């Protein structure tokens, strides 16, 4: 008996679901070089345009000169350095919470938080469109795992009725493939009524949302009492890498004791924490970045609706264009690329079958002229491809 990997790969190709890694040959930004081709990119998550910011680069350089390159050990051995600690304090301040805990990736933060808080005999309830890392965390926790209908507090309430043990309700803040936001006030009400805790992964909300970039919790004006567990990633609007969990003294101490992905991994490079401290400062002080981004989002939505494209209900930088068929989405992406525009086709299993889409992401580094170029390219490509053939 052997693994027939060739057959699995061939089947994936036949279904138009085969993925390949584009090779980026330039720093992140609107103007990139991918596979040797200069392109105008609308597919990264660098929402505030900080990934290649000169001050952030300089902070990393200065951090490396002072602190070296590697973390050297896990946080609990000798890997927890001054910059890590300073960044945790700054993130606690951003979120208005007593403590924050730094993780090496968003995947690890979600895995660490869920598996440390619930286990056998407990319940974890998740939005069915949650990020893969949250779903994996729920399954790996050993708790009774169930998914409620997308962003549906009534569906959540029904599942809470049957919950046993400690119950954790888990949702994305901004849903990464649809761009819509969780109805946190309603979810928090249902969770609180049943004594459950609400955990929010606001990977795509920190930076673009909230008056000071504090994300969805700031956007809705919710307290730690309503959202006890708040997760954010640093590789998107912060422009660097890593993640954090913010919450009470007891929550953070519990994660330090029980979160295996935190305990058993080397800390991130201290110089990276230095860079993130600088990007956090820019995220909080340069309000024009959020304002410009809002202008671009409005411009894009107006233009796309005039062309007659099917958008989703999103006021965030994630602006998916619904296509439906995976092969058609790939073809549109290729046609745009031939015109010098990079927009990724998102296909199953990342999104449900029949809901393939072009996922446009806008950043504060884009200009209105560049968004106009994108709209013109989309109008031409959709017109050239023509309407989707009927399956009647």
């Amino acid at each position: 008996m052997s693994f027939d990997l060739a057959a699995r790969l061939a089947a994936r190709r036949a279904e138009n679901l085969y993925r390949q890694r584009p090779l980026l040959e330039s720093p992140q930004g609107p103007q990139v070089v991918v596979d040797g081709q200069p392109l105008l990119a609308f597919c990264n998550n660098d929402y505030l345009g900080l990934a290649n910011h000169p001050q952030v680069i300089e902070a990393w350089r200065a951090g490396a000169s002072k602190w070296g390159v590697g973390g050297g050990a896990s946080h609990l051995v000798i890997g927890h350095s001054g910059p890590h600690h300073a960044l945790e304090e700054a993130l606690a301040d951003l979120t208005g919470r007593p403590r924050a805990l730094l993780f090496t990736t968003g995947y690890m933060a979600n895995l660490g938080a869920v598996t440390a808080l619930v286990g056998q005999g407990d319940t974890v309830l998740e939005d069915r469109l949650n990020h893969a890392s949250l779903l994996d965390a729920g399954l790996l926790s050993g708790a009774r795992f169930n998914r409620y209908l997308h962003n549906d507090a009534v569906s959540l309430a029904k599942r809470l009725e049957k919950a046993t043990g400690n119950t954790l309700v888990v949702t994305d803040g901004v849903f990464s493939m649809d761009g819509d936001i969780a109805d946190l006030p309603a979810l928090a009400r249902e969770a609180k009524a049943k004594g459950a805790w609400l955990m929010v992964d606001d990977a795509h909300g920190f930076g673009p949302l909230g008056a000071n970039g504090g994300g969805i919790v700031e956007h809705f004006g919710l307290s730690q009492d309503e959202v006890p567990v708040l997760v954010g990633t640093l590789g998107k609007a912060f422009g660097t890498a890593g993640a954090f969990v913010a919450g009470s003294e007891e929550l953070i101490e519990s994660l330090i004791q029980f979160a295996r992905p935190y305990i058993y991994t080397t800390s991130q490079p201290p110089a990276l924490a230095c860079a993130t401290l600088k990007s956090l400062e820019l995220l909080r002080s340069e309000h024009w970045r959020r304002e410009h981004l809002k202008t671009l989002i409005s411009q894009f939505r107006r233009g796309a609706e005039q062309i007659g494209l099917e958008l989703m209900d999103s006021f965030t930088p994630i602006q998916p264009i619904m296509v439906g068929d995976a092969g058609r989405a790939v073809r549109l992406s290729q046609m745009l690329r031939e015109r010098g525009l990079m927009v990724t086709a998102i296909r199953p299993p990342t999104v449900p079958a029949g809901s393939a889409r072009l996922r446009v992401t806008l950043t504060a580094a884009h200009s209105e002229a560049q968004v106009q170029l994108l709209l013109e390219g989309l109008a031409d490509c959709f017109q050239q491809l023509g309407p989707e053939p009927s399956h009647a």
Side-chain angles (χ1 to χ4, degrees):
M1 185 176 168
S2 65
F3 293 95
D4 194 352
L5 299 183
R8 285 175 71 185
L9 292 170
R12 183 152 273 213
R13 278 186 199 275
E15 292 160 4
N16 285 310
L17 300 179
Y18 200 81
R19 288 160 167 73
Q20 284 168 300
R21 300 179 300 175
L23 183 61
L24 181 67
E25 298 170 63
S26 65
Q28 285 292 358
Q31 305 275 4
V32 294
V33 178
V34 177
D35 298 327
Q37 184 186 3
L39 292 167
L40 177 55
F42 290 93
C43 52
N44 72 37
N45 300 322
D46 180 27
Y47 301 128
L48 297 183
L50 296 174
N52 191 33
H53 193 287
Q55 288 181 46
V56 179
I57 295 168
E58 186 44 47
W60 189 314
R61 197 175 276 133
S65 296
K66 182 175 179 182
W67 296 93
V69 180
S74 66
H75 283 275
L76 289 169
V77 178
I78 196 179
H80 187 66
S81 64
H84 297 134
H85 205 73
L87 179 54
E88 288 181 344
E89 288 175 340
L91 291 166
D93 186 57
L94 172 70
T95 57
R97 288 162 185 249
R99 295 274 304 271
L101 189 68
L102 204 52
F103 281 79
T104 309
T105 68
Y107 217 109
M108 290 169 74
N110 284 332
L111 216 56
V114 174
T115 57
L117 290 171
V118 290
Q120 281 192 330
D122 297 325
T123 305
V124 61
L125 301 173
E126 301 207 18
D127 189 295
R128 60 170 52 250
L129 294 189
N130 272 355
H131 188 263
S133 60
L134 293 171
L135 299 174
D136 287 357
L139 290 166
L140 286 168
S141 70
R144 188 163 162 243
F145 176 74
N146 211 313
R147 296 197 281 178
Y148 58 89
L149 298 177
H150 176 52
N151 222 355
D152 188 330
V154 176
S155 171
L156 171 62
K158 285 179 187 158
R159 282 159 179 76
L160 280 165
E161 291 289 344
K162 299 171 187 162
T164 55
N166 290 324
T167 302
L168 189 64
V169 175
V170 184
T171 183
D172 271 314
V174 176
F175 291 90
S176 60
M177 292 301 131
D178 290 22
D180 58 336
I181 70 168
D183 183 0
L184 277 198
L187 299 175
R189 264 196 312 275
E190 296 300 341
K192 215 165 171 352
K194 288 290 184 292
W197 270 23
L198 178 59
M199 170 175 159
V200 178
D201 173 13
D202 202 23
H204 297 269
F206 277 105
L209 298 186
N212 301 295
I216 189 170
V217 171
E218 185 185 32
H219 171 79
F220 281 121
L222 298 176
S223 67
Q224 180 176 293
D225 189 44
E226 291 159 304
V227 182
V229 189
L230 179 56
V231 181
T233 57
L234 305 171
K236 298 175 177 70
F238 288 83
T240 57
F244 65 93
V245 180
S248 67
E249 186 75 36
E250 293 78 11
L251 171 69
I252 300 308
E253 278 303 315
S254 297
L255 294 182
I256 291 170
Q257 301 303 321
F258 304 115
R260 290 165 67 85
Y262 179 80
I263 298 164
Y264 299 108
T265 197
T266 301
S267 65
Q268 62 172 229
L272 171 57
C274 296
T276 307
L277 275 163
K278 176 52 73 176
S279 72
L280 174 54
E281 184 189 309
L282 295 170
L283 178 146
R284 296 189 80 172
S285 63
E286 296 190 347
H287 291 275
W288 67 264
R289 292 179 185 275
R290 272 182 294 285
E291 295 310 315
H292 177 57
L293 188 51
K294 278 181 199 159
T295 303
L296 297 182
I297 293 165
S298 300
Q299 177 195 356
F300 176 78
R301 288 188 70 84
R302 266 196 320 274
E305 278 158 16
Q306 283 164 5
I307 299 167
L309 303 181
E310 188 184 340
L311 295 181
M312 300 184 79
D313 183 20
S314 166
F315 63 84
T316 71
I318 301 166
Q319 293 293 324
I321 303 164
M322 190 54 78
V323 176
D325 176 68
R328 188 175 161 82
V330 170
R331 180 74 192 110
L332 282 162
S333 180
Q334 286 166 345
M335 289 167 74
L336 286 163
R337 190 159 170 167
E338 283 157 20
R339 287 160 195 260
L341 298 162
M342 188 166 183
V343 180
T344 310
I346 304 289
R347 300 161 282 166
T350 307
V351 292
S355 73
R357 64 203 63 182
L358 293 177
R359 181 178 182 266
V360 171
T361 52
L362 300 167
T363 80
H366 286 114
S367 66
E368 291 182 42
Q370 288 171 332
V371 173
Q372 190 52 42
L373 278 173
L374 172 64
L375 288 165
E376 288 164 12
L378 286 166
D380 287 352
C381 291
F382 272 86
Q383 191 177 7
Q384 203 179 319
L385 199 58
E388 192 169 355
S390 166
H391 297 293

